[in-house]
Amino acid sequence: DGGITQSPKYLFRKEGQNVTLSCEQNLNHDAMYWYRQDPGQGLRLIYYSQIVNDFQKGDIAEGYSVSREKKESFPLTVTSAQKNPTAFYLCASSIDRGSTHEQYFGPGTRLTVT
Amino acid sequence: GDSVTQMEGPVTLSEEAFLTINCTYTATGYPSLFWYVQYPGEGLQLLLKATKADDKGSNKGFEATYRKETTSFHLEKGSVQVSDSAVYFCALRTNTGGFKTIFGAGTRLFVKA
């Protein structure tokens, strides 16, 4: 089955440590996205990538970094510079051609930093 | 800039009640409109979409009509079930301004048996 996988589902880290969240898709989608979701709030865009080896900052990129070395993979690193990293992180992908622009989401990773 | 406003929750209904979740938008150009649903502890799933004015999206008994004159895309269902309890997000995507999808804040729905 095609889809998006994120691992791990739960992640715990000490303050001051960098942590990398995995996102893999086998949908052959060109575009991939990272969102942050806080309790009771909507989604905020962290980074997105339309093609391999290229990515753009979203609305809240400070303290985060990404890479897009392969079409299937778009890992997100939460650095120690991120002041409030505890949140639910969602990865998504989309085809971005023609009129189809809906996004397909992974199951999310809940990061807790203490 | 582009934005989506949806009614605040939580919305609490009894099983078989009629559901409306209001969504209005502000956008340049001609956006595509979406409703996504998020079940507890999971990612979002596309529920339905509409890509042009007067289109009606429908899925699993849910419907929404793209109203350009009122810039609205309200979600409706005639008879809700307990299994519909989730958070519902209205979203838009324009063909201008890059490849961003703008999400509303989400509306939590509780359905009681």
Side-chain angles (χ1 to χ4, degrees):
Chain A
D1 285 336
I4 299 180
T5 56
Q6 291 185 244
S7 61
K9 190 163 181 63
Y10 298 95
L11 192 53
F12 298 89
R13 280 294 182 271
K14 295 292 187 185
E15 195 172 322
Q17 294 178 336
N18 292 354
V19 58
T20 297
L21 281 59
S22 167
C23 177
E24 304 278 331
Q25 55 101 357
N26 61 2
L27 299 167
N28 199 32
H29 286 174
D30 294 312
M32 297 186 74
Y33 312 79
W34 274 104
Y35 294 93
R36 170 182 172 136
Q37 186 178 28
D38 293 286
Q41 297 189 29
L43 279 65
R44 291 187 289 170
L45 182 64
I46 304 173
Y47 269 97
Y48 63 102
S49 168
Q50 296 167 228
I51 57 173
V52 174
N53 292 323
D54 187 49
F55 46 83
Q56 309 296 327
K57 291 182 178 179
D59 301 316
I60 56 165
E62 186 176 350
Y64 299 97
S65 66
V66 293
S67 63
R68 186 86 186 275
E69 297 176 1
K70 299 185 300 182
K71 188 175 184 178
E72 304 80 22
S73 179
F74 191 40
L76 173 74
T77 297
V78 184
T79 75
S80 57
Q82 168 50 233
K83 291 182 173 52
N84 187 17
T86 295
F88 189 51
Y89 290 89
L90 287 162
C91 179
S93 69
S94 65
I95 297 175
D96 277 357
R97 284 192 296 274
S99 63
T100 302
H101 295 299
E102 65 261 32
Q103 296 190 358
Y104 293 77
F105 285 81
T109 292
R110 188 167 299 280
L111 173 65
T112 302
V113 177
T114 58
Chain B
D2 299 342
S3 67
V4 174
T5 302
Q6 57 182 109
M7 64 188 288
E8 288 189 22
V11 173
T12 302
L13 296 173
S14 296
E15 209 166 19
E16 298 184 4
F18 185 87
L19 169 70
T20 300
I21 300 178
N22 290 339
C23 172
T24 57
Y25 67 90
T26 302
T28 55
Y30 301 93
S32 295
L33 301 174
F34 308 89
W35 277 101
Y36 288 86
V37 59
Q38 184 180 32
Y39 298 101
E42 298 182 9
L44 278 68
Q45 303 172 27
L46 178 69
L47 182 59
L48 53 84
K49 68 176 180 180
T51 57
K52 60 183 187 296
D54 299 325
D55 269 2
K56 177 185 283 190
S58 62
N59 185 25
K60 299 180 181 179
F62 291 90
E63 293 183 339
T65 301
Y66 189 140
R67 302 284 189 201
K68 191 165 175 62
E69 63 276 14
T70 55
T71 62
S72 66
F73 192 55
H74 305 321
L75 182 68
E76 297 182 337
K77 187 176 185 183
S79 175
V80 293
Q81 306 300 312
V82 172
S83 57
D84 294 326
S85 298
V87 181
Y88 292 83
F89 292 91
C90 184
L92 72 81
R93 174 153 172 169
T94 61
N95 291 325
T96 59
F99 285 75
K100 291 184 184 182
T101 296
I102 309 298
F103 290 86
T107 301
R108 183 174 294 277
L109 170 66
F110 292 105
V111 180
K112 302 179 297 183

